[in-house]
Amino acid sequence: IRDTDRSRGLGDVYKRQVTGQEREQLSSLVDGTLAMEEQQEELPAADTPVRVFIVLSGKSALEQGYAASAMAEATAYTGRLLNRQAAVIQRIETQVLEEPLEVRYQFTAVANAISAVVPYGSMEEIAALPGVEQVCPVPVYETCQTEVSPMTITTGDMVGSYGTWETGYTGAGMRIAVIDTGLDLDHPSFDPAAYDYALGQEQESWDLLDREEIQQVLPRLTIAKDGLTAADLYRNTKVAFGYNYVDGDLDITHDNDPQGDHGTHVAGIATANRYIRQGSGFVSAAETVLTCGVAPEAQLLVMKVFSDGSGSTSDDIILAGLDDAVKLGADAANLSLGSPAGFAEYNDDPSQEVDG
C-alpha cells in the first residue's frame, strides 16, 4: 500500500467520524480552548513586592566538585561566592532600586543564588546586571492535613532494615536532615537518653554533630545573620540541630502550628530510636510500641520550613534548610513535599537544579 493511499484512507475515516453533532462539539471545544489561551494572566503591579531567586553566574560548591561530607574544605570557595554576591547586591541597590535590598537568604552550597524581595517591575532590570544569570519568582506551597497511625516496624522486610541492622549498620555516626513541619521534641522515640543507651560505650567513636562543630560551621550557614549561637541550635545528642526557618525562631515543635505532626512522623520513619524508656530502664521499641526507624541510631537535624501562622512555605525557605543541611554534614535529607497537580517546572528556578 502506498503512503498516499494510506493517508487518504485514514483521512476518509476521520471525515466519517467527525460529522454532525460531533463536529459542532469539536468546534465548540476548539473555540473554548482558543478563548482560554487568549486570556492573559493578571500580573502584579510594577511596585508590588515579590520574593525572587536571583541566580548568579558561577557554580555552587557542590557543582564545583566539593563533597557534601567535606563542606568545610569549601570555605575559601564559598567565601569568594559570598563576596561576588555582595557585589551584585550593591549593584542592585545602586543601579536599580536606589535603596537597600531586602535579602532573605544567600546560598552557596547547593546553589549560587540570593533570595530577596524586590518590586515586580525591577526583575528584568536586575536580570540584566553583570553577574546575574536569572531572576525568577519563588513558588509557595501549602500544607494538607493527614491522619496517620504509625507502625513502622512492619516495613522492615520490605525495605531490608532487619538484615541491615544484623550486620551492624544502624545509622550510628550518620546525620539525617528532615525538612518538614518540625518535631515533637518530647516524643519518646527521640529521647536522647535512650539514644545514648543504644550507642553505649561506642558513642565517643562515632562522628556525632555537637555544639563545637555547629559553632565552627555557623558563620557559613544561611541563618548566620540571625544572631544565633551553637547553644541555641544544638538540642541534644539525638536531635543535634533544630531551627524554624520559616518563622525565623527556635520553635521547631508542633505546639503552635496547625500543620499537625507530619514532620515527627517522617522523622520517626527515618530515625526513631531503637529503645524507649520504661520505668528506670530501656526496652526494645520494636517489641514494645512496634515503631523503630530505618536508621535508629542516626542523628536528626530538624529544619522546620512550614509556618506556625500561615501553614505555608516557599522554595527559598526549603533551599535554605537544604543548603544548611549540606554544610552541617548531613548524609541524607528528606523533603516529603508534593502537590495535588504536581510541581510546576521552572527552568530558571535554582531549586530545580538540586537533584536527589
Side-chain angles (χ1 to χ4, degrees), residues 216-275:
Q216 293 174 0
V217 177
L218 185 54
R220 304 197 301 275
L221 299 183
T222 63
I223 56 175
K225 64 180 183 297
D226 293 349
L228 300 164
T229 67
D232 295 327
L233 300 168
Y234 180 83
R235 303 309 174 97
N236 52 59
T237 50
K238 178 65 177 183
V239 184
F241 177 91
Y243 187 68
N244 183 333
Y245 282 80
V246 63
D247 297 310
D249 58 40
L250 296 168
D251 182 8
I252 62 171
T253 70
H254 308 301
D255 296 343
N256 300 302
D257 66 47
Q259 276 67 260
D261 55 2
H262 184 269
T264 296
H265 178 61
V266 171
I269 292 172
T271 71
N273 283 340
R274 185 155 53 111
Y275 296 98

Short mmCIF file of all heavy atoms in Angstrom, two decimals, residues 216-275:
data_model
loop_
_atom_site.label_atom_id
_atom_site.label_comp_id
_atom_site.label_asym_id
_atom_site.label_seq_id
_atom_site.Cartn_x
_atom_site.Cartn_y
_atom_site.Cartn_z
N GLN A 216 31.63 26.00 64.64
CA GLN A 216 32.58 26.18 63.54
C GLN A 216 31.87 26.45 62.21
O GLN A 216 32.33 27.26 61.40
CB GLN A 216 33.47 24.95 63.41
CG GLN A 216 34.41 24.73 64.58
CD GLN A 216 35.16 23.42 64.48
OE1 GLN A 216 34.99 22.66 63.52
NE2 GLN A 216 35.96 23.12 65.48
N VAL A 217 30.74 25.77 62.00
CA VAL A 217 30.02 25.89 60.74
C VAL A 217 29.11 27.12 60.70
O VAL A 217 28.83 27.66 59.63
CB VAL A 217 29.18 24.61 60.49
CG1 VAL A 217 28.35 24.73 59.23
CG2 VAL A 217 30.08 23.39 60.42
N LEU A 218 28.66 27.57 61.86
CA LEU A 218 27.64 28.61 61.97
C LEU A 218 27.88 29.84 61.09
O LEU A 218 26.93 30.32 60.44
CB LEU A 218 27.47 29.02 63.43
CG LEU A 218 26.36 30.03 63.75
CD1 LEU A 218 25.01 29.55 63.21
CD2 LEU A 218 26.27 30.25 65.26
N PRO A 219 29.10 30.38 61.00
CA PRO A 219 29.30 31.57 60.16
C PRO A 219 28.97 31.33 58.69
O PRO A 219 28.73 32.30 57.95
CB PRO A 219 30.79 31.88 60.35
CG PRO A 219 31.14 31.28 61.67
CD PRO A 219 30.32 30.03 61.75
N ARG A 220 28.94 30.07 58.23
CA ARG A 220 28.67 29.78 56.82
C ARG A 220 27.22 29.41 56.56
O ARG A 220 26.84 29.23 55.41
CB ARG A 220 29.58 28.63 56.35
CG ARG A 220 31.07 28.87 56.55
CD ARG A 220 31.90 27.93 55.70
NE ARG A 220 31.64 26.53 55.97
CZ ARG A 220 32.21 25.83 56.95
NH1 ARG A 220 33.09 26.42 57.74
NH2 ARG A 220 31.94 24.55 57.12
N LEU A 221 26.41 29.28 57.62
CA LEU A 221 25.02 28.91 57.44
C LEU A 221 24.20 30.09 56.91
O LEU A 221 24.55 31.24 57.11
CB LEU A 221 24.42 28.42 58.75
CG LEU A 221 25.06 27.18 59.40
CD1 LEU A 221 24.30 26.78 60.66
CD2 LEU A 221 25.12 26.02 58.42
N THR A 222 23.08 29.78 56.26
CA THR A 222 22.22 30.83 55.73
C THR A 222 21.58 31.65 56.85
O THR A 222 21.12 32.77 56.63
CB THR A 222 21.09 30.25 54.86
OG1 THR A 222 20.24 29.41 55.67
CG2 THR A 222 21.66 29.43 53.71
N ILE A 223 21.54 31.10 58.07
CA ILE A 223 20.92 31.77 59.20
C ILE A 223 21.94 32.45 60.10
O ILE A 223 21.62 32.89 61.20
CB ILE A 223 20.08 30.78 60.04
CG1 ILE A 223 20.96 29.59 60.50
CG2 ILE A 223 18.90 30.26 59.24
CD1 ILE A 223 20.24 28.62 61.42
N ALA A 224 23.18 32.61 59.61
CA ALA A 224 24.25 33.16 60.44
C ALA A 224 23.92 34.58 60.91
O ALA A 224 24.28 34.97 62.02
CB ALA A 224 25.56 33.16 59.66
N LYS A 225 23.23 35.35 60.07
CA LYS A 225 22.97 36.75 60.40
C LYS A 225 21.86 36.92 61.45
O LYS A 225 21.59 38.04 61.89
CB LYS A 225 22.57 37.51 59.14
CG LYS A 225 21.27 37.05 58.50
CD LYS A 225 20.96 37.87 57.25
CE LYS A 225 19.62 37.48 56.62
NZ LYS A 225 19.62 36.08 56.15
N ASP A 226 21.25 35.82 61.86
CA ASP A 226 20.14 35.91 62.82
C ASP A 226 20.60 36.04 64.27
O ASP A 226 19.77 36.05 65.19
CB ASP A 226 19.21 34.70 62.68
CG ASP A 226 18.48 34.68 61.35
OD1 ASP A 226 18.54 35.71 60.64
OD2 ASP A 226 17.86 33.66 61.01
N GLY A 227 21.90 36.12 64.50
CA GLY A 227 22.43 36.30 65.85
C GLY A 227 22.34 35.07 66.72
O GLY A 227 22.24 35.17 67.95
N LEU A 228 22.35 33.89 66.12
CA LEU A 228 22.22 32.64 66.86
C LEU A 228 23.56 32.13 67.34
O LEU A 228 24.62 32.48 66.82
CB LEU A 228 21.57 31.59 65.96
CG LEU A 228 20.18 31.93 65.43
CD1 LEU A 228 19.82 31.03 64.27
CD2 LEU A 228 19.14 31.81 66.54
N THR A 229 23.51 31.26 68.34
CA THR A 229 24.71 30.59 68.83
C THR A 229 24.54 29.09 68.67
O THR A 229 23.43 28.59 68.46
CB THR A 229 24.96 30.90 70.32
OG1 THR A 229 23.90 30.32 71.10
CG2 THR A 229 25.00 32.41 70.56
N ALA A 230 25.64 28.36 68.78
CA ALA A 230 25.58 26.91 68.69
C ALA A 230 24.72 26.34 69.81
O ALA A 230 24.01 25.34 69.63
CB ALA A 230 26.98 26.32 68.75
N ALA A 231 24.74 26.97 70.98
CA ALA A 231 23.92 26.50 72.10
C ALA A 231 22.44 26.63 71.79
O ALA A 231 21.61 25.83 72.26
CB ALA A 231 24.26 27.30 73.36
N ASP A 232 22.06 27.62 70.97
CA ASP A 232 20.66 27.78 70.57
C ASP A 232 20.22 26.64 69.65
O ASP A 232 19.11 26.12 69.77
CB ASP A 232 20.46 29.10 69.82
CG ASP A 232 20.70 30.31 70.70
OD1 ASP A 232 20.41 30.25 71.90
OD2 ASP A 232 21.18 31.33 70.16
N LEU A 233 21.07 26.27 68.73
CA LEU A 233 20.71 25.35 67.65
C LEU A 233 20.86 23.88 68.03
O LEU A 233 20.16 23.03 67.50
CB LEU A 233 21.56 25.66 66.41
CG LEU A 233 21.37 27.07 65.85
CD1 LEU A 233 22.45 27.38 64.81
CD2 LEU A 233 19.99 27.24 65.25
N TYR A 234 21.81 23.59 68.92
CA TYR A 234 22.04 22.21 69.35
C TYR A 234 21.03 21.86 70.44
O TYR A 234 20.94 22.54 71.46
CB TYR A 234 23.46 22.04 69.87
CG TYR A 234 23.79 20.64 70.33
CD1 TYR A 234 24.18 19.66 69.42
CD2 TYR A 234 23.74 20.30 71.68
CE1 TYR A 234 24.49 18.38 69.83
CE2 TYR A 234 24.05 19.01 72.11
CZ TYR A 234 24.43 18.06 71.17
OH TYR A 234 24.73 16.78 71.59
N ARG A 235 20.27 20.75 70.24
CA ARG A 235 19.26 20.37 71.22
C ARG A 235 19.76 19.27 72.15
O ARG A 235 19.67 19.37 73.36
CB ARG A 235 17.97 19.94 70.51
CG ARG A 235 17.40 21.01 69.57
CD ARG A 235 17.26 22.38 70.25
NE ARG A 235 16.87 23.44 69.36
CZ ARG A 235 15.62 23.87 69.23
NH1 ARG A 235 14.64 23.31 69.91
NH2 ARG A 235 15.35 24.87 68.41
N ASN A 236 20.23 18.17 71.58
CA ASN A 236 20.76 17.06 72.38
C ASN A 236 21.48 16.10 71.44
O ASN A 236 21.60 16.37 70.24
CB ASN A 236 19.63 16.36 73.15
CG ASN A 236 18.47 15.96 72.26
OD1 ASN A 236 18.65 15.20 71.30
ND2 ASN A 236 17.27 16.46 72.56
N THR A 237 21.94 14.99 71.96
CA THR A 237 22.71 14.06 71.13
C THR A 237 21.88 13.47 70.00
O THR A 237 22.39 13.22 68.90
CB THR A 237 23.28 12.92 72.00
OG1 THR A 237 22.22 12.37 72.80
CG2 THR A 237 24.42 13.41 72.87
N LYS A 238 20.58 13.26 70.23
CA LYS A 238 19.72 12.69 69.18
C LYS A 238 19.31 13.76 68.18
O LYS A 238 19.48 13.60 66.97
CB LYS A 238 18.48 12.06 69.81
CG LYS A 238 17.49 11.49 68.77
CD LYS A 238 18.08 10.31 67.99
CE LYS A 238 17.08 9.71 67.04
NZ LYS A 238 17.61 8.53 66.32
N VAL A 239 18.72 14.84 68.68
CA VAL A 239 18.32 15.96 67.81
C VAL A 239 19.45 16.98 67.86
O VAL A 239 19.45 17.90 68.68
CB VAL A 239 16.98 16.57 68.27
CG1 VAL A 239 16.53 17.66 67.30
CG2 VAL A 239 15.91 15.50 68.39
N ALA A 240 20.41 16.81 66.98
CA ALA A 240 21.64 17.58 67.06
C ALA A 240 21.49 19.00 66.55
O ALA A 240 22.34 19.85 66.84
CB ALA A 240 22.76 16.86 66.29
N PHE A 241 20.44 19.27 65.79
CA PHE A 241 20.25 20.62 65.24
C PHE A 241 18.77 20.86 65.05
O PHE A 241 18.03 19.96 64.61
CB PHE A 241 20.97 20.75 63.90
CG PHE A 241 20.78 22.09 63.21
CD1 PHE A 241 21.68 23.12 63.43
CD2 PHE A 241 19.71 22.30 62.36
CE1 PHE A 241 21.51 24.35 62.80
CE2 PHE A 241 19.53 23.53 61.73
CZ PHE A 241 20.44 24.55 61.95
N GLY A 242 18.32 22.06 65.36
CA GLY A 242 16.91 22.39 65.13
C GLY A 242 16.72 23.88 64.95
O GLY A 242 17.20 24.68 65.77
N TYR A 243 16.04 24.26 63.86
CA TYR A 243 15.75 25.68 63.62
C TYR A 243 14.48 25.82 62.81
O TYR A 243 14.20 25.01 61.92
CB TYR A 243 16.91 26.37 62.89
CG TYR A 243 16.73 27.87 62.79
CD1 TYR A 243 16.80 28.67 63.92
CD2 TYR A 243 16.48 28.48 61.56
CE1 TYR A 243 16.62 30.04 63.84
CE2 TYR A 243 16.30 29.85 61.47
CZ TYR A 243 16.37 30.63 62.61
OH TYR A 243 16.19 31.99 62.53
N ASN A 244 13.71 26.86 63.13
CA ASN A 244 12.48 27.17 62.41
C ASN A 244 12.82 28.21 61.34
O ASN A 244 12.88 29.41 61.62
CB ASN A 244 11.44 27.72 63.40
CG ASN A 244 10.10 27.99 62.74
OD1 ASN A 244 10.01 28.25 61.55
ND2 ASN A 244 9.05 27.96 63.56
N TYR A 245 13.02 27.73 60.11
CA TYR A 245 13.46 28.61 59.03
C TYR A 245 12.36 29.55 58.56
O TYR A 245 12.65 30.67 58.10
CB TYR A 245 13.96 27.77 57.85
CG TYR A 245 15.34 27.22 58.06
CD1 TYR A 245 15.55 26.08 58.85
CD2 TYR A 245 16.46 27.83 57.49
CE1 TYR A 245 16.81 25.59 59.07
CE2 TYR A 245 17.73 27.33 57.71
CZ TYR A 245 17.91 26.22 58.49
OH TYR A 245 19.17 25.73 58.71
N VAL A 246 11.13 29.12 58.63
CA VAL A 246 10.06 29.93 58.06
C VAL A 246 9.67 31.08 58.98
O VAL A 246 9.36 32.18 58.51
CB VAL A 246 8.84 29.04 57.72
CG1 VAL A 246 8.27 28.40 58.96
CG2 VAL A 246 7.78 29.83 56.98
N ASP A 247 9.68 30.86 60.30
CA ASP A 247 9.32 31.92 61.24
C ASP A 247 10.54 32.63 61.82
O ASP A 247 10.40 33.62 62.54
CB ASP A 247 8.49 31.34 62.39
CG ASP A 247 7.17 30.77 61.89
OD1 ASP A 247 6.47 31.47 61.14
OD2 ASP A 247 6.85 29.61 62.23
N GLY A 248 11.73 32.10 61.52
CA GLY A 248 12.95 32.75 61.99
C GLY A 248 13.14 32.68 63.49
O GLY A 248 13.61 33.64 64.11
N ASP A 249 12.78 31.54 64.10
CA ASP A 249 12.96 31.39 65.54
C ASP A 249 13.36 29.95 65.87
O ASP A 249 13.58 29.13 64.98
CB ASP A 249 11.70 31.82 66.31
CG ASP A 249 10.46 31.02 65.91
OD1 ASP A 249 10.58 29.79 65.72
OD2 ASP A 249 9.37 31.61 65.80
N LEU A 250 13.40 29.65 67.16
CA LEU A 250 13.90 28.35 67.60
C LEU A 250 12.78 27.35 67.92
O LEU A 250 13.07 26.24 68.36
CB LEU A 250 14.78 28.54 68.84
CG LEU A 250 16.06 29.34 68.60
CD1 LEU A 250 16.72 29.72 69.92
CD2 LEU A 250 17.04 28.55 67.74
N ASP A 251 11.54 27.71 67.67
CA ASP A 251 10.42 26.81 67.96
C ASP A 251 10.25 25.82 66.80
O ASP A 251 9.66 26.15 65.78
CB ASP A 251 9.13 27.62 68.16
CG ASP A 251 7.94 26.73 68.51
OD1 ASP A 251 8.16 25.51 68.75
OD2 ASP A 251 6.81 27.24 68.55
N ILE A 252 10.76 24.62 66.99
CA ILE A 252 10.65 23.59 65.95
C ILE A 252 9.54 22.59 66.26
O ILE A 252 9.37 21.61 65.54
CB ILE A 252 11.98 22.85 65.77
CG1 ILE A 252 12.38 22.11 67.06
CG2 ILE A 252 13.08 23.79 65.31
CD1 ILE A 252 13.57 21.18 66.90
N THR A 253 8.79 22.82 67.32
CA THR A 253 7.75 21.88 67.73
C THR A 253 6.46 22.11 66.95
O THR A 253 6.35 23.02 66.13
CB THR A 253 7.46 22.02 69.23
OG1 THR A 253 6.79 23.26 69.47
CG2 THR A 253 8.74 21.99 70.05
N HIS A 254 5.46 21.26 67.25
CA HIS A 254 4.13 21.41 66.66
C HIS A 254 3.17 22.15 67.61
O HIS A 254 1.99 22.23 67.34
CB HIS A 254 3.53 20.03 66.36
CG HIS A 254 4.42 19.14 65.55
ND1 HIS A 254 4.89 19.48 64.31
CD2 HIS A 254 4.94 17.91 65.82
CE1 HIS A 254 5.65 18.49 63.84
NE2 HIS A 254 5.69 17.54 64.74
N ASP A 255 3.70 22.68 68.70
CA ASP A 255 2.84 23.23 69.75
C ASP A 255 2.03 24.44 69.28
O ASP A 255 0.94 24.69 69.77
CB ASP A 255 3.67 23.64 70.97
CG ASP A 255 4.34 22.44 71.64
OD1 ASP A 255 3.90 21.30 71.36
OD2 ASP A 255 5.29 22.64 72.41
N ASN A 256 2.58 25.20 68.35
CA ASN A 256 1.94 26.47 67.97
C ASN A 256 1.59 26.54 66.49
O ASN A 256 1.45 27.63 65.93
CB ASN A 256 2.88 27.63 68.32
CG ASN A 256 3.19 27.69 69.80
OD1 ASN A 256 2.30 27.79 70.63
ND2 ASN A 256 4.47 27.60 70.14
N ASP A 257 1.46 25.40 65.84
CA ASP A 257 1.12 25.43 64.42
C ASP A 257 -0.07 24.52 64.11
O ASP A 257 -0.37 23.60 64.87
CB ASP A 257 2.33 25.06 63.55
CG ASP A 257 2.77 23.64 63.73
OD1 ASP A 257 1.91 22.73 63.71
OD2 ASP A 257 3.98 23.38 63.88
N PRO A 258 -0.75 24.77 63.01
CA PRO A 258 -1.91 23.96 62.63
C PRO A 258 -1.57 22.83 61.67
O PRO A 258 -2.46 22.19 61.12
CB PRO A 258 -2.81 24.99 61.93
CG PRO A 258 -1.84 25.92 61.26
CD PRO A 258 -0.61 25.97 62.15
N GLN A 259 -0.29 22.59 61.45
CA GLN A 259 0.11 21.65 60.40
C GLN A 259 0.05 20.19 60.81
O GLN A 259 0.25 19.30 60.00
CB GLN A 259 1.54 21.96 59.93
CG GLN A 259 1.64 23.05 58.90
CD GLN A 259 1.25 24.39 59.46
OE1 GLN A 259 0.13 24.82 59.25
NE2 GLN A 259 2.14 25.05 60.17
N GLY A 260 -0.14 19.92 62.09
CA GLY A 260 -0.12 18.53 62.52
C GLY A 260 1.30 18.04 62.73
O GLY A 260 2.25 18.81 62.71
N ASP A 261 1.45 16.73 62.91
CA ASP A 261 2.76 16.19 63.28
C ASP A 261 3.43 15.44 62.13
O ASP A 261 4.12 14.45 62.35
CB ASP A 261 2.61 15.27 64.49
CG ASP A 261 1.58 14.17 64.27
OD1 ASP A 261 1.02 14.10 63.16
OD2 ASP A 261 1.35 13.38 65.20
N HIS A 262 3.23 15.90 60.93
CA HIS A 262 3.82 15.22 59.77
C HIS A 262 5.33 15.12 59.89
O HIS A 262 5.93 14.09 59.57
CB HIS A 262 3.43 15.93 58.47
CG HIS A 262 3.90 15.24 57.24
ND1 HIS A 262 5.12 15.51 56.64
CD2 HIS A 262 3.34 14.26 56.48
CE1 HIS A 262 5.28 14.74 55.58
NE2 HIS A 262 4.22 13.97 55.47
N GLY A 263 5.97 16.19 60.35
CA GLY A 263 7.43 16.17 60.48
C GLY A 263 7.91 15.11 61.45
O GLY A 263 8.92 14.43 61.21
N THR A 264 7.19 14.94 62.55
CA THR A 264 7.54 13.91 63.53
C THR A 264 7.36 12.52 62.93
O THR A 264 8.19 11.62 63.14
CB THR A 264 6.68 14.06 64.79
OG1 THR A 264 6.97 15.31 65.42
CG2 THR A 264 6.95 12.93 65.78
N HIS A 265 6.28 12.33 62.18
CA HIS A 265 6.03 11.04 61.54
C HIS A 265 7.17 10.68 60.57
O HIS A 265 7.69 9.56 60.58
CB HIS A 265 4.70 11.09 60.79
CG HIS A 265 4.36 9.83 60.07
ND1 HIS A 265 4.19 8.63 60.70
CD2 HIS A 265 4.17 9.58 58.75
CE1 HIS A 265 3.90 7.68 59.82
NE2 HIS A 265 3.89 8.24 58.63
N VAL A 266 7.57 11.65 59.75
CA VAL A 266 8.65 11.41 58.79
C VAL A 266 9.97 11.13 59.51
O VAL A 266 10.71 10.22 59.16
CB VAL A 266 8.80 12.62 57.84
CG1 VAL A 266 10.04 12.48 56.98
CG2 VAL A 266 7.57 12.75 56.96
N ALA A 267 10.25 11.94 60.55
CA ALA A 267 11.48 11.74 61.31
C ALA A 267 11.49 10.37 61.96
O ALA A 267 12.55 9.72 62.07
CB ALA A 267 11.61 12.83 62.36
N GLY A 268 10.32 9.90 62.40
CA GLY A 268 10.24 8.57 63.01
C GLY A 268 10.51 7.47 62.02
O GLY A 268 11.18 6.47 62.35
N ILE A 269 10.00 7.59 60.81
CA ILE A 269 10.28 6.59 59.78
C ILE A 269 11.78 6.45 59.57
O ILE A 269 12.31 5.35 59.41
CB ILE A 269 9.59 6.97 58.46
CG1 ILE A 269 8.08 6.87 58.60
CG2 ILE A 269 10.06 6.09 57.31
CD1 ILE A 269 7.31 7.42 57.42
N ALA A 270 12.47 7.58 59.60
CA ALA A 270 13.91 7.57 59.33
C ALA A 270 14.75 7.21 60.55
O ALA A 270 15.66 6.38 60.45
CB ALA A 270 14.34 8.94 58.79
N THR A 271 14.44 7.81 61.72
CA THR A 271 15.41 7.74 62.82
C THR A 271 14.82 7.41 64.19
O THR A 271 15.53 7.57 65.19
CB THR A 271 16.16 9.09 62.95
OG1 THR A 271 15.25 10.08 63.47
CG2 THR A 271 16.70 9.55 61.62
N ALA A 272 13.56 6.97 64.31
CA ALA A 272 13.01 6.66 65.64
C ALA A 272 13.93 5.70 66.38
O ALA A 272 14.43 4.72 65.82
CB ALA A 272 11.62 6.05 65.49
N ASN A 273 14.17 5.97 67.64
CA ASN A 273 15.15 5.23 68.43
C ASN A 273 14.87 3.73 68.51
O ASN A 273 13.72 3.30 68.43
CB ASN A 273 15.19 5.78 69.87
CG ASN A 273 15.96 7.08 69.97
OD1 ASN A 273 16.77 7.41 69.10
ND2 ASN A 273 15.70 7.83 71.03
N ARG A 274 15.94 2.96 68.70
CA ARG A 274 15.83 1.51 68.84
C ARG A 274 15.27 1.12 70.20
O ARG A 274 14.67 0.06 70.36
CB ARG A 274 17.21 0.88 68.63
CG ARG A 274 17.23 -0.63 68.61
CD ARG A 274 18.42 -1.15 67.83
NE ARG A 274 19.69 -0.61 68.26
CZ ARG A 274 20.64 -1.31 68.88
NH1 ARG A 274 20.45 -2.58 69.16
NH2 ARG A 274 21.79 -0.76 69.20
N TYR A 275 15.48 2.00 71.20
CA TYR A 275 14.98 1.73 72.55
C TYR A 275 14.09 2.88 73.01
O TYR A 275 14.23 4.02 72.54
CB TYR A 275 16.15 1.59 73.54
CG TYR A 275 17.05 0.43 73.26
CD1 TYR A 275 18.25 0.61 72.55
CD2 TYR A 275 16.73 -0.86 73.68
CE1 TYR A 275 19.08 -0.47 72.29
CE2 TYR A 275 17.56 -1.94 73.42
CZ TYR A 275 18.74 -1.74 72.71
OH TYR A 275 19.56 -2.80 72.45
#
